[in-house]
Amino acid sequence: MARAIRLAHRGLTTTDPNPRVGCVLVRDGEIVGEGWHRRAGEPHAERNALQAAGDSARGATAYVTLEPCCHVGRTGPCTEALIEAGVKRVVAAMEDPNPLVAGQGFARLSNADIQVQTGLLAQEAESLNPGFSMRMGQGRPFVRCKLAMSLDARTAMSSGESQWITGPAARRDVQRLRARSSAILTGLGTVLLDNSSLTVRAQELGVPVDEPIRQPLRVVLDPTLATPLDAAILDISQAPTLLMAALGHYSREHAQAIRTTGAQVVDVAGSEDALHLRSVMEYLTERECNEVFLECGARLAGAMLRRGFIDELIIYLAPTIMGSTARALFELPELERMADRFHLEITDIRAVGKDWRITASQIHRIHL
């Protein structure tokens, strides 16, 4: 199963919106076939492993990181492929949270007299697909928020200047986080201040420049559609772009001009000052976004935190001090009592070049 999980990791940046899955076939104590899901629309991990095993799959045990599917999508059911190949036992790390499967794959295998076991390395398997599990189970994407700060918890100078707080190693690390995401979410303020393209850059990932890379959807929360037509994020030759605007609060003429760049404009409930974040999350769920990477300023980060939409924080801590007038990490209302604090669980701390990366999750708080 550990090998199957490692195989699944090979699809970390390519399977979206499908889950990352690995499969290993073992017969008489030896691996006879293995595979992983590479891209949506292509064969699933089980079928790739069965093809590699050929006739040796008969009588084998299949170790798979996720319950085999039993419905017809862009590919046929993996349960039927396993049955037809003569596999005698299936060991799955976890049940598929997709309601179209959700235990039905196991039932189909059991009905075909295939022995089924579950729960082996379940936690490791679940960590492969936090977004897929959340979208299927809770009806919204998994949101990972990235912030960079100084030792005195400042993210930008008072003017808004923020490039660069961290060093090259940390910026390369951010590229890997972008690459695994379904969408990169930001606000108008970040677009105006940084004019970043918010793309995945092959050279910083350490892959050949000419190798095709799946670019996440770039999403800008822009209530009044104030994004300039020459903004880097509107260059869709690099990656697809979607602007979310508040219905009735923007110029239709400017919206049409933005659409001529190839970018999408969609209406979301909100006002001139802010969009309704739950509506934003619902729309991204409809777009089958599993993992959303939040790269933004203190205002949007604070709003997402208050409403309970940040599932994981990635904070890069740089060995610099920026002063008391520089901008804070989150824009939040005054918290008058210790009981009002936001409680996090730090799950990882490690050096990234000259900076430190802090990963925190499990936010426990009554949402404002």
Side-chain angles (χ1 to χ4, degrees):
M1 186 63 76
R3 173 62 180 167
I5 289 171
R6 287 196 296 272
L7 289 169
H9 270 284
R10 296 188 183 183
L12 193 67
T13 65
T14 60
T15 66
D16 200 76
N18 289 354
R20 300 124 182 172
V21 182
C23 179
V24 174
L25 293 170
V26 176
R27 179 177 168 181
D28 298 328
E30 294 185 1
I31 292 177
V32 295
E34 59 182 31
W36 69 94
H37 182 44
R38 292 176 171 85
R39 291 178 181 81
E42 294 187 9
H44 290 183
E46 298 92 325
R47 289 183 176 271
N48 285 328
L50 289 171
Q51 182 178 16
D55 292 339
S56 297
R58 187 162 301 279
T61 294
Y63 292 87
V64 61
T65 59
L66 187 68
E67 175 183 7
C69 65
C70 56
H71 64 287
V72 177
R74 282 182 276 187
T75 59
C78 290
T79 50
E80 304 312 302
L82 291 165
I83 293 168
E84 291 170 8
V87 169
K88 70 173 183 180
R89 179 168 165 252
V90 171
V91 179
M94 60 178 289
E95 182 179 291
D96 191 335
N98 186 343
L100 294 175
V101 185
Q104 298 176 67
F106 293 147
R108 176 70 184 102
L109 294 171
S110 295
N111 291 337
D113 294 326
I114 293 177
Q115 183 184 352
V116 175
Q117 293 178 255
T118 63
L120 180 60
L121 296 184
Q123 186 174 351
E124 290 82 351
E126 288 171 3
S127 68
L128 283 168
N129 298 295
F132 182 78
S133 293
M134 180 162 283
R135 180 166 66 88
M136 292 298 170
Q138 300 184 33
R140 72 168 180 86
F142 179 92
V143 178
R144 182 178 287 111
C145 177
K146 182 274 294 183
L147 295 165
M149 71 177 188
S150 60
L151 283 175
D152 52 347
R154 303 295 169 172
T155 62
M157 305 308 293
S158 58
S159 64
E161 180 188 358
S162 62
Q163 295 179 338
W164 298 99
I165 294 175
T166 56
R171 295 199 293 274
R172 285 194 297 272
D173 198 56
V174 169
Q175 289 293 310
R176 290 189 285 272
L177 293 171
R178 284 182 183 177
R180 66 174 292 167
S181 303
S182 309
I184 299 171
L185 180 64
T186 194
L188 173 66
T190 299
V191 171
L192 296 178
L193 284 170
D194 297 340
N195 195 28
S196 172
S197 62
L198 295 181
T199 55
V200 178
R201 295 185 286 276
Q203 63 272 26
E204 293 192 41
L205 282 179
V207 300
V209 176
D210 58 351
E211 183 175 312
I213 292 178
R214 181 191 62 84
Q215 291 287 348
L217 174 69
R218 300 175 295 184
V219 181
V220 182
L221 304 190
D222 184 0
T224 61
L225 280 189
T227 298
L229 292 177
D230 61 352
I233 206 163
L234 292 182
D235 180 3
I236 66 160
S237 67
Q238 298 189 64
T241 300
L242 169 70
L243 272 63
M244 290 187 170
L247 180 63
H249 292 281
Y250 61 86
S251 162
R252 294 289 173 180
E253 290 76 15
H254 189 58
Q256 184 55 40
I258 288 175
R259 289 189 178 100
T260 60
T261 69
Q264 286 183 274
V265 176
V266 298
D267 291 330
V268 177
S271 65
E272 290 184 0
D273 296 324
L275 298 179
H276 188 264
L277 293 179
R278 185 167 296 280
S279 298
V280 171
M281 292 295 103
E282 288 173 352
Y283 181 84
L284 293 177
T285 300
E286 293 174 4
R287 289 285 297 251
E288 296 186 306
C289 291
N290 291 330
E291 296 180 24
V292 172
F293 193 44
L294 182 61
E295 292 196 63
C296 62
R299 184 184 180 196
L300 180 54
M304 291 285 284
L305 183 70
R306 291 198 309 274
R307 287 157 181 79
F309 288 136
I310 293 179
D311 303 293
E312 184 175 81
L313 277 168
I314 305 288
I315 299 176
Y316 294 92
L317 179 61
T320 59
I321 294 175
M322 297 170 63
S324 58
T325 61
R327 300 187 180 188
L329 202 62
F330 295 99
E331 186 176 304
L332 296 168
E334 182 180 359
L335 304 178
E336 298 180 349
R337 303 174 304 158
M338 291 292 282
D340 293 331
R341 293 173 297 168
F342 292 84
H343 295 278
L344 311 177
E345 179 183 343
I346 294 178
T347 57
D348 186 70
I349 300 178
R350 67 182 63 200
V352 180
K354 295 182 178 181
D355 306 307
W356 287 87
R357 186 185 71 197
I358 302 170
T359 304
S361 62
Q362 295 186 13
I363 299 171
H364 307 292
R365 194 174 189 276
I366 297 175
H367 305 148
L368 301 177

